[in-house]
Amino acid sequence: MAYSNHFHNGFHFDDSHAVVDNVHIRNIKNIPSFYTDPKMFSADPAHWGLRALVTTTLAIDYKLGGSLNPFYFQLSTFIWYIFLCLMMFFMYKNLLQRSIKHNTAAYIALIATAWFALHTANAETVNYIIARSDIQSTLCIVASFLIYITYPAKRKWHLYIIPAFIGVFAKETMLVLIILLFFYILLFEDDLSVVDLLKPKNFRFAFKTILKLLPLIIVIVVAQIYTLTRVTSIPGISNPASYYILTQTYVWLHYFIAFFLPMNLSADSDWSVILNIFDERIIIGIVFVIGLIITIIKTSAKKETKPIAFGLIWFAASLLPTSLAPFAEVTNDHRMLFAFVGLALSVVTYIGLLLIKFEKQIKANKEYRALIALSLLLVLGLNAYGVYQRNKIWHDEESLWHDVTIKSPLNGRGLMNYGLTQMEKGNYSVADIYFQRASQYLPYYNTLFINTAILKGAMGNPQEAEANFIKARNMSPNTFDSYVFYARWLKQVNRVDEAVQMSEKALQLNPYSLMALNILMSSYNTLGMWDKLVETSNKYLALAPGDTTALTFQQAGKTHAAIAEREAPVTGNTATTLTAANYLDQSLAYYNQQNYLKCIEACEAALKLKPDYADAYSNMGAAYNQLKQWNKGIEACQKALKIDPNHKLAKGNLAWAESESKK
């Protein structure tokens, strides 16, 4: 019920390059190549990488929907999420029954799972399609962990390694599983505490544990090295490492608080690295981390509180990968999902132990029992309500980025993206305001200059448009979008030769850019470069088989090339004989070029060869309509319908001509 309004939510943010523009997911036969070719993960070279499990499921979703239907993508992510929650329940139950000798252990596990499943912050991951990588990697970690702890007698078969191996192809967090299993063995199987680990006499336990996990370590490390060596584009470090790591202490506190108060969630935070080590936020963060470590140490000492310690270890370990590597984004709300698997266990176990301690008083007092039930319903109900509200925010680009501008007003990217939604609606003045605001925070962001250029072009300011395109190109000369959008604008203003140059440069940087190929096809068609048109349309069709526009251009190129050969001086018997279908294709090409007289001539040539050609009469009628020669258009369409009474295009053109002729 909480997620009932999320299944038709659209594509957002990185979904644009990894899903919407990614032609590789449109052919399910590409699946084997996803595991070897990082270029198939994204349409943007800056994001090429090997997350083959994610790309595989996206290709399956596309196949099931037959298109970019968000429903199938959202449904798929939701099913992965449900599987994660189911496995978490059995994992929690197993851990709790090892420590708590009470009949409420299963109920504690159920409530912890419910809190996680309905947690408002997790809606940020479930709604964000490409963020399914977090769900899939977490699912694989939980699955491996569950197999390991549930079937100790079968560990020699190493079945628990299989989900871990698969998870490597979802996200680079699988190494955390090694840490989790190490502390699980330490706390639950060797019955030691964290402090015991530091005693020299217990070093052999640590060494033996590492040996137990050695097959897992080898598989994960080797698989991880394989995925990393296949990466062709590694983003540079954009934040100073030392300050970034210190800032993460405060981020951890933020995540911890968000578990209890998931408010002010933002799809794109405006947090930045804190560059003053004496900043109160860093001091508070360090105090929190110290407190977290102390709590882990104390709770690891008693058997019944070991699940609390382990849950907190899970929370900390899950955040290490994004805390030690200086990412561009200091914080992301979808990073909480993995961490909350551990935190839900710790928090609910603590509450459960507290209630067990006062079990007699609770049983004796109905008011206490009612208060506990009400508190439980309140926590789950408020989180479910929060999920439902966040689903509304994630519905479309405008609602999402408007929320970001409110929650993260210093985020230039959020301001720019909301401006884009207004530009698409034709609210150019509003878009201009948001682009200007964004430029205060992103003075060197080439994408912002590209969007500003597009806006200026739409507003009828070609000089400003070109100036911004050139700025974008100069700021990021090795980024394909700096060229492809400039090429599109050049084609729009009939600077076709320059459009070809920019498109070819874009293709050098990204050979999978359908936009660049489309601009080239249109440009070659305008320039009459038929061999190039055929060559480019073939490249397009190799990426997007069956595309009607590319097929039309391909046929037009072949037809014109044949005509050029026929009209050239003939030596021997090399002349090409054109069919009525060839002339029909030629008429369509002329029509697309808005050369309506030539279109009519080609139709007449087709009719000489095939007098009962309804398609030729229909094309002729459409061309006469464009020339506003309505009577001739009516006559041609009527002849088409006399031959084929069900000809839809002829019916439409006839209705158009008749309505206009009466005015």
Side-chain angles (χ1 to χ4, degrees):
M1 291 173 63
Y3 280 98
S4 61
N5 63 332
H6 109 287
F7 290 101
H8 294 282
N9 286 355
F11 302 101
H12 303 289
F13 209 3
D14 286 343
D15 291 341
S16 61
H17 64 80
V19 185
V20 178
D21 296 332
N22 188 359
V23 296
H24 303 296
I25 68 166
R26 302 180 190 181
N27 189 347
I28 203 164
K29 294 180 180 179
N30 287 331
I31 286 178
S33 300
F34 294 159
Y35 293 84
T36 58
D37 189 353
K39 296 177 182 178
M40 289 192 167
F41 175 69
S42 170
D44 186 349
H47 294 89
W48 283 345
L50 211 62
R51 291 188 178 180
L53 178 61
V54 179
T55 319
T56 297
T57 58
L58 293 173
I60 294 171
D61 297 342
Y62 187 92
K63 178 67 175 179
L64 291 173
S67 64
L68 290 169
N69 186 340
F71 172 79
Y72 289 91
F73 291 87
Q74 295 288 10
L75 176 63
S76 174
T77 301
F78 187 72
I79 291 171
W80 287 103
Y81 187 56
I82 292 297
F83 275 120
L84 171 61
C85 294
L86 287 171
M87 288 191 181
M88 282 173 55
F89 166 73
F90 292 107
M91 181 183 73
Y92 288 164
K93 182 181 176 183
N94 189 306
L95 291 172
L96 289 164
Q97 288 178 339
R98 289 170 179 268
S99 302
I100 301 175
K101 303 305 177 183
H102 196 277
N103 58 9
T104 59
Y107 294 100
I108 295 173
L110 181 62
I111 293 168
T113 304
W115 195 338
F116 176 88
L118 291 168
H119 202 287
T120 300
N122 288 347
E124 304 303 288
T125 309
V126 176
N127 278 284
Y128 188 14
I129 291 169
I130 197 59
R132 70 171 55 172
S133 59
D134 290 278
I135 296 175
Q136 290 173 339
S137 60
T138 303
L139 171 62
C140 289
I141 286 174
V142 172
S144 282
F145 187 88
L146 182 59
I147 293 171
Y148 188 90
I149 68 175
T150 306
Y151 305 104
K154 298 181 180 180
R155 290 175 189 171
K156 60 183 178 181
W157 296 356
H158 304 302
L159 296 177
Y160 68 96
I161 297 178
I162 296 174
F165 175 75
I166 295 171
V168 171
F169 295 94
K171 198 171 184 179
E172 304 82 357
T173 54
M174 208 52 54
L175 289 168
V176 174
L177 175 62
I178 299 169
I179 300 174
L180 298 177
L181 284 175
F182 177 87
F183 280 100
Y184 162 76
I185 295 169
L186 175 80
L187 297 178
F188 293 93
E189 295 191 352
D190 293 341
D191 199 24
L192 299 175
S193 68
V194 174
V195 172
D196 291 334
L197 181 63
L198 303 177
K199 297 177 181 178
K201 67 176 183 178
N202 292 321
F203 285 175
R204 62 189 180 92
F205 287 104
F207 182 71
K208 285 174 61 179
T209 301
I210 293 173
L211 286 179
K212 287 179 184 178
L213 299 176
L214 191 59
L216 175 69
I217 295 171
I218 292 172
V219 169
I220 291 179
V221 170
V222 170
Q224 198 70 75
I225 290 173
Y226 168 77
T227 61
L228 292 176
T229 54
R230 304 299 296 177
V231 173
T232 59
S233 176
I234 300 176
I237 296 173
S238 55
N239 280 311
S242 57
Y243 289 110
Y244 177 89
I245 293 170
L246 285 172
T247 303
Q248 288 302 304
T249 60
Y250 186 67
V251 172
W252 284 25
L253 175 60
H254 163 69
Y255 291 155
F256 185 84
I257 294 172
F259 182 82
F260 304 96
L261 297 171
M263 303 166 68
N264 294 317
L265 297 171
S266 175
D268 199 12
S269 170
D270 60 0
W271 284 35
S272 59
V273 169
I274 303 170
L275 300 175
N276 179 8
I277 61 174
F278 298 107
D279 188 289
E280 61 183 11
R281 291 168 294 177
I282 286 183
I283 295 172
I284 293 172
I286 292 173
V287 170
F288 168 74
V289 172
I290 293 172
L292 183 68
I293 294 170
I294 292 172
T295 304
I296 289 172
I297 291 171
K298 287 190 174 182
T299 53
S300 69
K302 295 181 180 180
K303 186 173 184 178
E304 64 178 7
T305 57
K306 284 182 184 292
I308 299 175
F310 184 73
L312 294 176
I313 290 170
W314 187 302
F315 173 78
S318 66
L319 294 174
L320 284 177
T322 56
S323 298
L324 298 178
F327 287 90
E329 294 84 11
V330 173
T331 175
N332 262 326
D333 287 346
H334 62 80
R335 294 175 188 170
M336 288 187 269
L337 180 133
F338 186 19
F340 282 0
V341 174
L343 198 52
L345 174 64
S346 295
V347 171
V348 179
T349 300
Y350 173 78
I351 296 172
L353 290 174
L354 199 63
L355 295 177
I356 291 171
K357 183 178 180 181
F358 296 99
E359 183 178 10
K360 291 182 179 180
Q361 294 92 319
I362 293 170
K363 285 184 176 180
N365 194 316
K366 292 182 179 179
E367 292 181 356
Y368 284 166
R369 296 201 299 274
L371 182 61
I372 292 168
L374 180 62
S375 299
L376 176 61
L377 290 173
L378 195 63
V379 168
L380 297 183
L382 286 175
N383 272 283
Y385 175 78
V387 166
Y388 197 84
Q389 296 304 312
R390 288 304 296 175
N391 294 341
K392 292 180 181 179
I393 297 298
W394 280 84
H395 179 65
D396 56 36
E397 286 284 87
E398 183 175 12
S399 59
L400 180 68
W401 293 111
H402 182 258
D403 182 72
V404 170
T405 63
I406 296 171
K407 304 285 184 56
S408 307
L410 304 182
N411 186 330
R413 187 165 54 190
L415 294 167
M416 179 195 71
N417 285 331
Y418 181 66
L420 272 175
T421 67
Q422 298 308 298
M423 183 169 68
E424 290 173 1
K425 293 174 66 175
N427 298 333
Y428 297 146
S429 59
V430 177
D432 196 24
I433 291 171
Y434 277 92
F435 286 170
Q436 289 181 33
R437 287 177 58 187
S439 66
Q440 298 175 30
Y441 309 105
L442 300 171
Y444 306 108
Y445 190 34
N446 77 305
T447 304
L448 176 57
F449 283 99
I450 291 170
N451 290 326
T452 302
I454 295 169
L455 175 64
K456 296 301 182 182
M459 295 174 72
N461 300 323
Q463 292 182 337
E464 289 188 59
E466 184 158 27
N468 280 282
F469 276 125
I470 292 172
K471 285 181 182 177
R473 188 184 61 186
N474 292 340
M475 285 179 181
S476 189
N478 296 318
T479 306
F480 86 100
D481 54 358
S482 296
Y483 297 91
V484 72
F485 287 99
Y486 188 22
R488 186 178 70 175
W489 179 80
L490 289 168
K491 179 65 173 64
Q492 289 170 349
V493 297
N494 295 318
R495 292 163 59 181
V496 184
D497 290 330
E498 294 173 86
V500 169
Q501 293 176 14
M502 290 298 107
S503 298
E504 288 177 343
K505 179 62 178 177
L507 281 175
Q508 290 176 13
L509 297 168
N510 181 8
Y512 303 112
S513 174
L514 291 183
M515 182 188 291
L517 289 170
N518 193 49
I519 295 166
L520 281 176
M521 287 191 300
S522 179
S523 298
Y524 290 144
N525 187 59
T526 301
L527 295 169
M529 300 172 68
W530 310 122
D531 291 339
K532 284 282 190 181
L533 177 57
V534 174
E535 179 186 342
T536 306
S537 59
N538 287 339
K539 290 180 180 178
Y540 195 107
L541 290 168
L543 296 173
D547 183 84
T548 54
T549 301
L551 286 170
T552 301
F553 277 126
Q554 182 192 56
Q555 189 58 50
K558 290 179 179 179
T559 301
H560 281 83
I563 292 172
E565 184 180 351
R566 182 171 180 270
E567 293 177 349
V570 179
T571 302
N573 295 317
T574 59
T576 302
T577 301
L578 296 184
T579 65
N582 293 145
Y583 282 115
L584 183 72
D585 292 333
Q586 181 186 358
S587 74
L588 182 59
Y590 282 132
Y591 187 90
N592 290 333
Q593 295 174 29
Q594 300 180 5
N595 192 340
Y596 303 117
L597 291 175
K598 284 284 188 180
C599 174
I600 294 168
E601 289 178 9
C603 290
E604 289 173 342
L607 289 167
K608 286 180 181 179
L609 296 173
K610 186 178 179 181
D612 60 343
Y613 208 173
D615 289 340
Y617 279 119
S618 177
N619 284 7
M620 184 185 295
Y624 277 127
N625 286 353
Q626 291 289 357
L627 294 170
K628 298 184 180 180
Q629 297 182 26
W630 309 115
N631 291 332
K632 289 185 177 181
I634 292 171
E635 181 183 353
C637 292
Q638 286 175 340
K639 288 180 179 180
L641 291 170
K642 187 175 181 180
I643 299 167
D644 181 4
N646 296 317
H647 201 292
K648 293 182 179 180
L649 292 176
K651 285 181 179 180
N653 287 321
L654 178 61
W656 177 22
E658 287 177 341
S659 64
E660 292 294 332
S661 66
K662 294 176 182 178
K663 293 182 180 179

